[in-house]
Short mmCIF file of all heavy atoms in Angstrom, two decimals:
data_model
loop_
_atom_site.label_atom_id
_atom_site.label_comp_id
_atom_site.label_asym_id
_atom_site.label_seq_id
_atom_site.Cartn_x
_atom_site.Cartn_y
_atom_site.Cartn_z
N ARG A 1 -1.54 14.69 -0.46
CA ARG A 1 -2.81 14.78 0.21
C ARG A 1 -3.89 14.15 -0.63
O ARG A 1 -4.72 13.43 -0.15
CB ARG A 1 -3.10 16.20 0.59
CG ARG A 1 -4.47 16.40 1.19
CD ARG A 1 -4.66 17.81 1.60
NE ARG A 1 -5.26 18.56 0.50
CZ ARG A 1 -5.71 19.76 0.61
NH1 ARG A 1 -5.55 20.41 1.71
NH2 ARG A 1 -6.26 20.33 -0.41
N ASP A 2 -3.90 14.44 -1.92
CA ASP A 2 -4.96 13.93 -2.78
C ASP A 2 -4.94 12.41 -2.86
O ASP A 2 -5.97 11.75 -3.03
CB ASP A 2 -4.83 14.49 -4.19
CG ASP A 2 -5.15 15.96 -4.21
OD1 ASP A 2 -5.78 16.47 -3.28
OD2 ASP A 2 -4.77 16.65 -5.18
N SER A 3 -3.76 11.82 -2.73
CA SER A 3 -3.63 10.35 -2.88
C SER A 3 -4.04 9.61 -1.62
O SER A 3 -4.26 8.41 -1.66
CB SER A 3 -2.24 9.98 -3.30
OG SER A 3 -1.31 10.25 -2.24
N ARG A 4 -4.18 10.29 -0.52
CA ARG A 4 -4.42 9.62 0.75
C ARG A 4 -5.65 8.69 0.72
O ARG A 4 -5.61 7.55 1.11
CB ARG A 4 -4.57 10.65 1.89
CG ARG A 4 -4.75 10.05 3.26
CD ARG A 4 -4.88 11.17 4.31
NE ARG A 4 -4.92 10.61 5.64
CZ ARG A 4 -6.05 10.27 6.27
NH1 ARG A 4 -7.21 10.41 5.66
NH2 ARG A 4 -5.99 9.76 7.47
N GLY A 5 -6.74 9.22 0.25
CA GLY A 5 -7.98 8.44 0.19
C GLY A 5 -7.85 7.26 -0.74
O GLY A 5 -8.41 6.15 -0.45
N PHE A 6 -7.13 7.41 -1.82
CA PHE A 6 -6.94 6.30 -2.76
C PHE A 6 -6.14 5.18 -2.12
O PHE A 6 -6.42 4.01 -2.31
CB PHE A 6 -6.23 6.77 -4.02
CG PHE A 6 -7.10 7.65 -4.89
CD1 PHE A 6 -6.83 9.02 -4.96
CD2 PHE A 6 -8.14 7.12 -5.62
CE1 PHE A 6 -7.63 9.82 -5.73
CE2 PHE A 6 -8.98 7.93 -6.41
CZ PHE A 6 -8.70 9.29 -6.46
N VAL A 7 -5.13 5.54 -1.33
CA VAL A 7 -4.30 4.53 -0.65
C VAL A 7 -5.13 3.78 0.38
O VAL A 7 -5.11 2.54 0.40
CB VAL A 7 -3.07 5.20 0.02
CG1 VAL A 7 -2.34 4.18 0.92
CG2 VAL A 7 -2.13 5.73 -1.03
N TRP A 8 -5.95 4.50 1.16
CA TRP A 8 -6.78 3.84 2.16
C TRP A 8 -7.79 2.90 1.50
O TRP A 8 -8.02 1.79 1.94
CB TRP A 8 -7.50 4.88 3.02
CG TRP A 8 -6.82 5.15 4.34
CD1 TRP A 8 -7.29 4.78 5.55
CD2 TRP A 8 -5.61 5.87 4.60
NE1 TRP A 8 -6.44 5.22 6.55
CE2 TRP A 8 -5.39 5.90 5.97
CE3 TRP A 8 -4.68 6.48 3.75
CZ2 TRP A 8 -4.29 6.50 6.52
CZ3 TRP A 8 -3.59 7.08 4.33
CH2 TRP A 8 -3.40 7.07 5.70
N GLN A 9 -8.40 3.39 0.40
CA GLN A 9 -9.41 2.57 -0.32
C GLN A 9 -8.75 1.35 -0.96
O GLN A 9 -9.28 0.24 -0.90
CB GLN A 9 -10.12 3.38 -1.36
CG GLN A 9 -11.20 2.61 -2.13
CD GLN A 9 -12.32 2.08 -1.25
OE1 GLN A 9 -12.66 2.69 -0.24
NE2 GLN A 9 -12.89 0.97 -1.62
N ALA A 10 -7.59 1.53 -1.56
CA ALA A 10 -6.88 0.39 -2.21
C ALA A 10 -6.54 -0.67 -1.18
O ALA A 10 -6.70 -1.85 -1.43
CB ALA A 10 -5.63 0.89 -2.90
N GLN A 11 -6.06 -0.24 0.01
CA GLN A 11 -5.72 -1.23 1.02
C GLN A 11 -6.99 -1.93 1.52
O GLN A 11 -6.95 -3.15 1.72
CB GLN A 11 -4.99 -0.60 2.20
CG GLN A 11 -4.59 -1.65 3.22
CD GLN A 11 -3.85 -1.09 4.42
OE1 GLN A 11 -4.04 0.05 4.79
NE2 GLN A 11 -2.98 -1.90 4.97
N SER A 12 -8.05 -1.20 1.65
CA SER A 12 -9.32 -1.85 2.08
C SER A 12 -9.75 -2.89 1.07
O SER A 12 -10.14 -4.00 1.45
CB SER A 12 -10.41 -0.76 2.24
OG SER A 12 -11.63 -1.35 2.56
N MET A 13 -9.69 -2.57 -0.21
CA MET A 13 -10.06 -3.54 -1.25
C MET A 13 -9.11 -4.71 -1.24
O MET A 13 -9.54 -5.86 -1.36
CB MET A 13 -10.07 -2.83 -2.60
CG MET A 13 -11.17 -1.78 -2.72
SD MET A 13 -11.00 -0.75 -4.20
CE MET A 13 -11.26 -1.95 -5.47
N PHE A 14 -7.85 -4.47 -1.08
CA PHE A 14 -6.85 -5.51 -1.04
C PHE A 14 -7.13 -6.48 0.13
O PHE A 14 -7.06 -7.69 -0.03
CB PHE A 14 -5.44 -4.95 -0.94
CG PHE A 14 -4.41 -5.97 -0.57
CD1 PHE A 14 -4.01 -6.91 -1.50
CD2 PHE A 14 -3.88 -6.04 0.68
CE1 PHE A 14 -3.09 -7.92 -1.17
CE2 PHE A 14 -2.96 -6.99 1.04
CZ PHE A 14 -2.57 -7.94 0.11
N GLU A 15 -7.41 -5.94 1.28
CA GLU A 15 -7.64 -6.78 2.46
C GLU A 15 -8.81 -7.72 2.25
O GLU A 15 -8.87 -8.78 2.88
CB GLU A 15 -7.79 -5.94 3.71
CG GLU A 15 -6.50 -5.26 4.18
CD GLU A 15 -5.41 -6.24 4.57
OE1 GLU A 15 -5.70 -7.40 4.96
OE2 GLU A 15 -4.23 -5.86 4.48
N GLY A 16 -9.70 -7.36 1.36
CA GLY A 16 -10.82 -8.27 1.07
C GLY A 16 -10.38 -9.57 0.43
O GLY A 16 -11.04 -10.61 0.56
N ALA A 17 -9.24 -9.56 -0.24
CA ALA A 17 -8.71 -10.77 -0.89
C ALA A 17 -7.45 -11.29 -0.19
O ALA A 17 -6.85 -12.27 -0.65
CB ALA A 17 -8.37 -10.44 -2.35
N ALA A 18 -7.06 -10.65 0.91
CA ALA A 18 -5.79 -11.01 1.56
C ALA A 18 -5.77 -12.43 2.08
O ALA A 18 -4.72 -13.08 2.06
CB ALA A 18 -5.50 -10.03 2.67
N ARG A 19 -6.86 -12.91 2.58
CA ARG A 19 -6.88 -14.30 3.15
C ARG A 19 -6.46 -15.29 2.09
O ARG A 19 -5.63 -16.18 2.32
CB ARG A 19 -8.26 -14.65 3.68
CG ARG A 19 -8.33 -16.08 4.15
CD ARG A 19 -9.65 -16.40 4.75
NE ARG A 19 -9.64 -15.90 6.12
CZ ARG A 19 -10.65 -15.93 6.94
NH1 ARG A 19 -11.80 -16.37 6.53
NH2 ARG A 19 -10.54 -15.49 8.16
N GLU A 20 -7.04 -15.21 0.88
CA GLU A 20 -6.71 -16.09 -0.18
C GLU A 20 -5.21 -15.94 -0.59
O GLU A 20 -4.51 -16.93 -0.77
CB GLU A 20 -7.59 -15.83 -1.43
CG GLU A 20 -7.29 -16.68 -2.62
CD GLU A 20 -7.69 -18.16 -2.43
OE1 GLU A 20 -8.49 -18.45 -1.56
OE2 GLU A 20 -7.14 -19.01 -3.13
N MET A 21 -4.76 -14.73 -0.72
CA MET A 21 -3.36 -14.50 -1.08
C MET A 21 -2.40 -15.04 0.04
O MET A 21 -1.37 -15.59 -0.27
CB MET A 21 -3.10 -13.01 -1.27
CG MET A 21 -1.72 -12.74 -1.77
SD MET A 21 -1.55 -10.98 -2.06
CE MET A 21 -0.07 -10.98 -3.01
N GLY A 22 -2.83 -14.89 1.27
CA GLY A 22 -2.00 -15.38 2.37
C GLY A 22 -1.81 -16.88 2.33
O GLY A 22 -0.76 -17.40 2.73
N ARG A 23 -2.81 -17.58 1.86
CA ARG A 23 -2.66 -19.06 1.74
C ARG A 23 -1.73 -19.40 0.59
O ARG A 23 -1.01 -20.40 0.65
CB ARG A 23 -4.03 -19.71 1.53
CG ARG A 23 -4.84 -19.75 2.80
CD ARG A 23 -6.09 -20.62 2.66
NE ARG A 23 -7.07 -19.95 1.80
CZ ARG A 23 -7.66 -20.53 0.75
NH1 ARG A 23 -7.40 -21.76 0.44
NH2 ARG A 23 -8.54 -19.88 0.02
N ILE A 24 -1.76 -18.61 -0.50
CA ILE A 24 -0.97 -18.91 -1.66
C ILE A 24 0.48 -18.43 -1.51
O ILE A 24 1.40 -19.12 -1.87
CB ILE A 24 -1.61 -18.26 -2.90
CG1 ILE A 24 -3.01 -18.87 -3.16
CG2 ILE A 24 -0.72 -18.43 -4.14
CD1 ILE A 24 -3.82 -18.11 -4.16
N ASP A 25 0.62 -17.20 -1.04
CA ASP A 25 1.98 -16.58 -0.96
C ASP A 25 2.06 -15.63 0.24
O ASP A 25 1.94 -14.42 0.09
CB ASP A 25 2.24 -15.83 -2.26
CG ASP A 25 3.66 -15.31 -2.40
OD1 ASP A 25 4.43 -15.45 -1.41
OD2 ASP A 25 4.00 -14.85 -3.47
N PRO A 26 2.31 -16.19 1.43
CA PRO A 26 2.34 -15.34 2.58
C PRO A 26 3.42 -14.28 2.58
O PRO A 26 3.24 -13.19 3.12
CB PRO A 26 2.59 -16.32 3.75
CG PRO A 26 2.64 -17.68 3.18
CD PRO A 26 2.49 -17.60 1.71
N ALA A 27 4.54 -14.55 1.93
CA ALA A 27 5.59 -13.53 1.87
C ALA A 27 5.19 -12.33 1.09
O ALA A 27 5.44 -11.18 1.47
CB ALA A 27 6.88 -14.17 1.26
N SER A 28 4.50 -12.53 -0.05
CA SER A 28 3.99 -11.42 -0.81
C SER A 28 2.96 -10.62 -0.07
O SER A 28 2.91 -9.40 -0.13
CB SER A 28 3.43 -11.87 -2.16
OG SER A 28 4.44 -12.23 -3.04
N LEU A 29 2.11 -11.34 0.69
CA LEU A 29 1.11 -10.69 1.49
C LEU A 29 1.73 -9.72 2.47
O LEU A 29 1.32 -8.57 2.56
CB LEU A 29 0.24 -11.69 2.22
CG LEU A 29 -0.80 -11.14 3.20
CD1 LEU A 29 -1.85 -10.30 2.49
CD2 LEU A 29 -1.44 -12.28 4.00
N GLU A 30 2.75 -10.17 3.18
CA GLU A 30 3.42 -9.34 4.13
C GLU A 30 4.14 -8.16 3.46
O GLU A 30 4.18 -7.05 4.00
CB GLU A 30 4.39 -10.14 5.00
CG GLU A 30 3.68 -11.09 5.93
CD GLU A 30 2.57 -10.40 6.74
OE1 GLU A 30 2.85 -9.36 7.36
OE2 GLU A 30 1.45 -10.90 6.78
N LYS A 31 4.72 -8.41 2.31
CA LYS A 31 5.40 -7.31 1.56
C LYS A 31 4.42 -6.25 1.17
O LYS A 31 4.69 -5.04 1.30
CB LYS A 31 6.12 -7.92 0.32
CG LYS A 31 6.78 -6.89 -0.56
CD LYS A 31 7.95 -6.26 0.11
CE LYS A 31 8.68 -5.35 -0.88
NZ LYS A 31 9.05 -4.07 -0.31
N ILE A 32 3.25 -6.63 0.65
CA ILE A 32 2.23 -5.69 0.24
C ILE A 32 1.74 -4.90 1.45
O ILE A 32 1.61 -3.65 1.39
CB ILE A 32 1.08 -6.40 -0.46
CG1 ILE A 32 1.54 -6.95 -1.82
CG2 ILE A 32 -0.12 -5.48 -0.65
CD1 ILE A 32 0.59 -7.93 -2.45
N ARG A 33 1.49 -5.57 2.54
CA ARG A 33 1.03 -4.88 3.76
C ARG A 33 2.12 -3.88 4.26
O ARG A 33 1.76 -2.78 4.69
CB ARG A 33 0.71 -5.87 4.84
CG ARG A 33 -0.65 -6.54 4.59
CD ARG A 33 -0.99 -7.52 5.69
NE ARG A 33 -2.36 -7.98 5.54
CZ ARG A 33 -2.81 -9.09 6.02
NH1 ARG A 33 -2.00 -9.89 6.73
NH2 ARG A 33 -4.09 -9.44 5.87
N ALA A 34 3.35 -4.26 4.17
CA ALA A 34 4.44 -3.34 4.58
C ALA A 34 4.49 -2.12 3.67
O ALA A 34 4.69 -0.99 4.12
CB ALA A 34 5.79 -4.06 4.57
N ASP A 35 4.32 -2.36 2.36
CA ASP A 35 4.32 -1.24 1.40
C ASP A 35 3.13 -0.27 1.67
O ASP A 35 3.30 0.94 1.66
CB ASP A 35 4.22 -1.74 -0.03
CG ASP A 35 5.54 -2.34 -0.52
OD1 ASP A 35 6.60 -2.18 0.14
OD2 ASP A 35 5.51 -3.01 -1.58
N PHE A 36 1.95 -0.86 1.93
CA PHE A 36 0.79 -0.02 2.27
C PHE A 36 1.07 0.78 3.56
O PHE A 36 0.73 1.98 3.64
CB PHE A 36 -0.45 -0.83 2.44
CG PHE A 36 -1.24 -1.03 1.15
CD1 PHE A 36 -1.50 -2.28 0.67
CD2 PHE A 36 -1.77 0.07 0.46
CE1 PHE A 36 -2.23 -2.47 -0.50
CE2 PHE A 36 -2.51 -0.11 -0.70
CZ PHE A 36 -2.72 -1.36 -1.17
N ALA A 37 1.68 0.17 4.51
CA ALA A 37 1.98 0.88 5.76
C ALA A 37 2.92 2.07 5.53
O ALA A 37 2.72 3.14 6.09
CB ALA A 37 2.61 -0.07 6.80
N ARG A 38 3.92 1.88 4.69
CA ARG A 38 4.81 3.01 4.36
C ARG A 38 4.10 4.08 3.61
O ARG A 38 4.30 5.27 3.86
CB ARG A 38 6.01 2.50 3.53
CG ARG A 38 7.00 1.69 4.38
CD ARG A 38 8.28 1.44 3.67
NE ARG A 38 8.98 2.67 3.34
CZ ARG A 38 9.82 2.83 2.32
NH1 ARG A 38 10.11 1.79 1.54
NH2 ARG A 38 10.43 3.97 2.08
N LEU A 39 3.21 3.71 2.67
CA LEU A 39 2.42 4.73 1.94
C LEU A 39 1.52 5.48 2.90
O LEU A 39 1.42 6.72 2.80
CB LEU A 39 1.58 4.05 0.84
CG LEU A 39 2.31 3.67 -0.43
CD1 LEU A 39 1.36 2.84 -1.30
CD2 LEU A 39 2.81 4.90 -1.17
N LYS A 40 0.87 4.77 3.80
CA LYS A 40 -0.04 5.45 4.70
C LYS A 40 0.72 6.37 5.67
O LYS A 40 0.19 7.39 6.08
CB LYS A 40 -0.84 4.40 5.50
CG LYS A 40 -1.89 3.72 4.62
CD LYS A 40 -2.57 2.59 5.31
CE LYS A 40 -3.64 3.12 6.21
NZ LYS A 40 -4.47 2.00 6.81
N ALA A 41 1.94 6.05 6.00
CA ALA A 41 2.75 6.88 6.89
C ALA A 41 3.10 8.21 6.20
O ALA A 41 3.38 9.22 6.90
CB ALA A 41 4.03 6.13 7.30
N ALA A 42 3.08 8.24 4.90
CA ALA A 42 3.41 9.48 4.19
C ALA A 42 2.31 10.50 4.31
O ALA A 42 2.57 11.72 4.17
CB ALA A 42 3.66 9.17 2.72
N ALA A 43 1.09 10.08 4.58
CA ALA A 43 -0.05 11.01 4.74
C ALA A 43 -0.92 10.52 5.89
O ALA A 43 -2.00 9.99 5.69
CB ALA A 43 -0.84 11.09 3.45
N PRO A 44 -0.46 10.65 7.12
CA PRO A 44 -1.15 10.10 8.27
C PRO A 44 -2.48 10.82 8.62
O PRO A 44 -3.30 10.29 9.34
CB PRO A 44 -0.16 10.22 9.41
CG PRO A 44 0.73 11.31 9.02
CD PRO A 44 0.80 11.27 7.52
N ALA A 45 -2.64 12.03 8.10
CA ALA A 45 -3.86 12.82 8.36
C ALA A 45 -4.30 13.51 7.06
O ALA A 45 -3.49 13.62 6.11
CB ALA A 45 -3.52 13.87 9.43
N PRO A 46 -5.51 14.00 7.05
CA PRO A 46 -5.99 14.64 5.82
C PRO A 46 -5.13 15.84 5.39
O PRO A 46 -4.95 16.10 4.21
CB PRO A 46 -7.40 15.09 6.17
CG PRO A 46 -7.84 14.12 7.19
CD PRO A 46 -6.62 13.81 8.00
N MET A 47 -4.59 16.58 6.34
CA MET A 47 -3.70 17.65 6.02
C MET A 47 -2.25 17.12 5.96
O MET A 47 -1.85 16.37 6.86
CB MET A 47 -3.79 18.77 7.05
CG MET A 47 -5.15 19.43 7.05
SD MET A 47 -5.69 20.07 5.44
CE MET A 47 -4.48 21.36 5.16
N PRO A 48 -1.51 17.51 4.96
CA PRO A 48 -0.14 16.94 4.79
C PRO A 48 0.80 17.44 5.92
O PRO A 48 0.61 18.51 6.47
CB PRO A 48 0.29 17.49 3.44
CG PRO A 48 -0.52 18.71 3.20
CD PRO A 48 -1.81 18.45 3.91
N PRO A 49 1.82 16.61 6.17
CA PRO A 49 2.84 17.05 7.17
C PRO A 49 3.61 18.23 6.62
O PRO A 49 3.60 18.50 5.42
CB PRO A 49 3.71 15.81 7.36
CG PRO A 49 3.46 14.96 6.12
CD PRO A 49 2.08 15.32 5.62
N GLN A 50 4.30 18.94 7.51
CA GLN A 50 5.09 20.11 7.10
C GLN A 50 6.18 19.73 6.07
O GLN A 50 6.35 20.44 5.12
CB GLN A 50 5.78 20.72 8.34
CG GLN A 50 4.77 21.40 9.26
CD GLN A 50 4.14 22.63 8.61
OE1 GLN A 50 4.68 23.29 7.79
NE2 GLN A 50 2.90 22.86 9.01
N ALA A 51 6.84 18.64 6.30
CA ALA A 51 7.88 18.16 5.36
C ALA A 51 7.44 16.80 4.84
O ALA A 51 6.89 16.01 5.56
CB ALA A 51 9.21 18.03 6.09
N PRO A 52 7.69 16.56 3.54
CA PRO A 52 7.31 15.26 2.99
C PRO A 52 7.98 14.11 3.73
O PRO A 52 9.15 14.19 4.06
CB PRO A 52 7.83 15.32 1.56
CG PRO A 52 8.06 16.76 1.27
CD PRO A 52 8.34 17.42 2.57
N VAL A 53 7.21 13.06 3.99
CA VAL A 53 7.76 11.86 4.61
C VAL A 53 8.42 10.98 3.58
O VAL A 53 9.45 10.39 3.82
CB VAL A 53 6.62 11.09 5.33
CG1 VAL A 53 7.10 9.80 5.89
CG2 VAL A 53 6.00 11.95 6.42
N LEU A 54 7.80 10.94 2.39
CA LEU A 54 8.34 10.19 1.25
C LEU A 54 8.38 11.10 0.03
O LEU A 54 7.49 11.92 -0.16
CB LEU A 54 7.47 8.99 0.88
CG LEU A 54 7.40 7.83 1.85
CD1 LEU A 54 6.34 6.83 1.37
CD2 LEU A 54 8.74 7.15 1.93
N GLN A 55 9.37 10.93 -0.79
CA GLN A 55 9.44 11.65 -2.04
C GLN A 55 8.45 10.99 -3.02
O GLN A 55 8.07 9.80 -2.86
CB GLN A 55 10.83 11.60 -2.63
CG GLN A 55 11.85 12.29 -1.76
CD GLN A 55 11.53 13.79 -1.55
OE1 GLN A 55 11.14 14.48 -2.46
NE2 GLN A 55 11.67 14.24 -0.31
N VAL A 56 8.04 11.73 -4.05
CA VAL A 56 7.07 11.19 -5.01
C VAL A 56 7.66 9.91 -5.68
O VAL A 56 6.93 8.95 -5.86
CB VAL A 56 6.77 12.25 -6.06
CG1 VAL A 56 5.94 11.68 -7.20
CG2 VAL A 56 6.04 13.44 -5.44
N SER A 57 8.93 9.91 -5.95
CA SER A 57 9.53 8.74 -6.57
C SER A 57 9.48 7.52 -5.67
O SER A 57 9.30 6.39 -6.10
CB SER A 57 10.97 9.04 -7.02
OG SER A 57 11.74 9.40 -5.89
N ASP A 58 9.64 7.74 -4.36
CA ASP A 58 9.54 6.65 -3.39
C ASP A 58 8.13 6.11 -3.33
O ASP A 58 7.90 4.90 -3.26
CB ASP A 58 9.99 7.10 -1.99
CG ASP A 58 11.45 7.51 -1.94
OD1 ASP A 58 12.23 6.94 -2.72
OD2 ASP A 58 11.78 8.38 -1.13
N MET A 59 7.14 7.01 -3.35
CA MET A 59 5.73 6.57 -3.34
C MET A 59 5.43 5.78 -4.62
O MET A 59 4.77 4.75 -4.54
CB MET A 59 4.82 7.78 -3.19
CG MET A 59 4.92 8.44 -1.84
SD MET A 59 3.83 9.85 -1.64
CE MET A 59 2.27 9.02 -1.43
N ALA A 60 5.91 6.26 -5.74
CA ALA A 60 5.66 5.58 -7.00
C ALA A 60 6.30 4.19 -7.00
O ALA A 60 5.68 3.23 -7.48
CB ALA A 60 6.21 6.38 -8.17
N ALA A 61 7.47 4.07 -6.40
CA ALA A 61 8.13 2.75 -6.33
C ALA A 61 7.35 1.79 -5.45
O ALA A 61 7.19 0.62 -5.78
CB ALA A 61 9.55 2.93 -5.77
N LEU A 62 6.81 2.28 -4.35
CA LEU A 62 5.96 1.44 -3.49
C LEU A 62 4.69 0.97 -4.19
O LEU A 62 4.31 -0.20 -4.11
CB LEU A 62 5.59 2.15 -2.18
CG LEU A 62 6.73 2.37 -1.19
CD1 LEU A 62 6.33 3.35 -0.13
CD2 LEU A 62 7.19 1.06 -0.58
N ILE A 63 4.08 1.89 -4.91
CA ILE A 63 2.87 1.54 -5.65
C ILE A 63 3.18 0.52 -6.72
O ILE A 63 2.43 -0.44 -6.93
CB ILE A 63 2.22 2.84 -6.26
CG1 ILE A 63 1.69 3.69 -5.10
CG2 ILE A 63 1.14 2.48 -7.25
CD1 ILE A 63 1.32 5.10 -5.50
N ASP A 64 4.31 0.72 -7.44
CA ASP A 64 4.69 -0.25 -8.45
C ASP A 64 4.95 -1.66 -7.81
O ASP A 64 4.57 -2.67 -8.38
CB ASP A 64 5.98 0.19 -9.19
CG ASP A 64 5.71 1.30 -10.16
OD1 ASP A 64 4.52 1.51 -10.55
OD2 ASP A 64 6.69 1.94 -10.60
N ASP A 65 5.60 -1.65 -6.68
CA ASP A 65 5.90 -2.91 -5.97
C ASP A 65 4.60 -3.64 -5.58
O ASP A 65 4.48 -4.83 -5.78
CB ASP A 65 6.77 -2.62 -4.76
CG ASP A 65 7.33 -3.88 -4.16
OD1 ASP A 65 7.95 -4.67 -4.92
OD2 ASP A 65 7.20 -4.09 -2.96
N ILE A 66 3.64 -2.86 -5.06
CA ILE A 66 2.35 -3.47 -4.72
C ILE A 66 1.69 -4.05 -5.95
O ILE A 66 1.24 -5.19 -5.96
CB ILE A 66 1.42 -2.43 -4.06
CG1 ILE A 66 1.93 -2.06 -2.67
CG2 ILE A 66 -0.01 -2.95 -4.00
CD1 ILE A 66 1.27 -0.84 -2.05
N GLY A 67 1.72 -3.27 -7.06
CA GLY A 67 1.13 -3.74 -8.29
C GLY A 67 1.77 -5.02 -8.83
O GLY A 67 1.07 -5.92 -9.31
N GLN A 68 3.07 -5.12 -8.75
CA GLN A 68 3.76 -6.30 -9.22
C GLN A 68 3.43 -7.51 -8.40
O GLN A 68 3.27 -8.63 -8.91
CB GLN A 68 5.27 -6.05 -9.21
CG GLN A 68 5.75 -5.11 -10.28
CD GLN A 68 7.22 -4.83 -10.19
OE1 GLN A 68 7.96 -5.48 -9.44
NE2 GLN A 68 7.69 -3.88 -10.98
N HIS A 69 3.31 -7.35 -7.07
CA HIS A 69 2.96 -8.48 -6.21
C HIS A 69 1.51 -8.91 -6.39
O HIS A 69 1.19 -10.10 -6.31
CB HIS A 69 3.27 -8.15 -4.73
CG HIS A 69 4.69 -8.24 -4.40
ND1 HIS A 69 5.58 -7.21 -4.51
CD2 HIS A 69 5.42 -9.29 -3.98
CE1 HIS A 69 6.77 -7.58 -4.15
NE2 HIS A 69 6.73 -8.84 -3.79
N ILE A 70 0.62 -7.94 -6.60
CA ILE A 70 -0.77 -8.28 -6.78
C ILE A 70 -1.09 -8.87 -8.14
O ILE A 70 -1.93 -9.74 -8.29
CB ILE A 70 -1.69 -7.04 -6.50
CG1 ILE A 70 -1.62 -6.69 -5.01
CG2 ILE A 70 -3.10 -7.27 -6.96
CD1 ILE A 70 -2.40 -5.44 -4.65
N ALA A 71 -0.36 -8.42 -9.14
CA ALA A 71 -0.62 -8.82 -10.53
C ALA A 71 -0.53 -10.34 -10.71
O ALA A 71 -1.13 -10.87 -11.64
CB ALA A 71 0.36 -8.11 -11.48
N ARG A 72 0.19 -11.01 -9.86
CA ARG A 72 0.28 -12.46 -10.02
C ARG A 72 -0.98 -13.17 -9.68
O ARG A 72 -1.15 -14.38 -9.93
CB ARG A 72 1.40 -12.97 -9.08
CG ARG A 72 2.76 -12.47 -9.50
CD ARG A 72 3.81 -13.13 -8.64
NE ARG A 72 4.30 -12.11 -7.73
CZ ARG A 72 5.10 -12.37 -6.71
NH1 ARG A 72 5.45 -13.61 -6.48
NH2 ARG A 72 5.54 -11.45 -5.93
N TYR A 73 -1.94 -12.48 -9.08
CA TYR A 73 -3.14 -13.11 -8.62
C TYR A 73 -4.28 -12.57 -9.36
O TYR A 73 -5.30 -12.57 -9.49
CB TYR A 73 -3.35 -12.92 -7.11
CG TYR A 73 -2.12 -13.43 -6.40
CD1 TYR A 73 -1.08 -12.56 -6.01
CD2 TYR A 73 -1.95 -14.80 -6.18
CE1 TYR A 73 0.01 -13.04 -5.39
CE2 TYR A 73 -0.84 -15.27 -5.53
CZ TYR A 73 0.19 -14.38 -5.16
OH TYR A 73 1.28 -14.88 -4.57
#
C-alpha cells in the first residue's frame, strides 16, 4: 500500500520523457509501460487487496527491470 503512490508518481514522471524514448527505443518503452501496468495492478486502490497480487520479490524484479531500461537514457 505504501508504494502505490510512488509507482503512480514514477510512471507520471516517466511519461513526461516517453515520447523521446519512444523515438529512440520503442521496444524498451513498451516494456517499461508493461512493467508499470503490472506494478499498478498489484495495488489498484488505496486499500490493499485481500491477497497479494504480486510477491515482494516480483515487485522488486519489475522495479529493477524498469530501472535497467531507463538507465540507458
Side-chain angles (χ1 to χ4, degrees):
R1 174 177 92 171
D2 291 342
S3 67
R4 183 178 186 271
F6 291 107
V7 171
W8 262 252
Q9 181 62 31
Q11 184 179 28
S12 175
M13 293 169 65
F14 166 73
E15 288 298 333
R19 175 177 279 176
E20 179 70 19
M21 186 178 195
R23 285 190 289 128
I24 297 167
D25 188 353
S28 285
L29 175 64
E30 291 309 310
K31 176 68 173 136
I32 291 168
R33 284 181 169 157
D35 287 347
F36 270 121
R38 287 191 61 207
L39 282 172
K40 289 174 79 173
M47 295 305 295
Q50 291 293 329
V53 175
L54 291 174
Q55 297 300 318
V56 173
S57 60
D58 295 330
M59 292 180 75
L62 289 168
I63 292 166
D64 285 344
D65 192 51
I66 290 169
Q68 288 176 9
H69 282 89
I70 290 176
R72 294 186 253 172
Y73 305 96

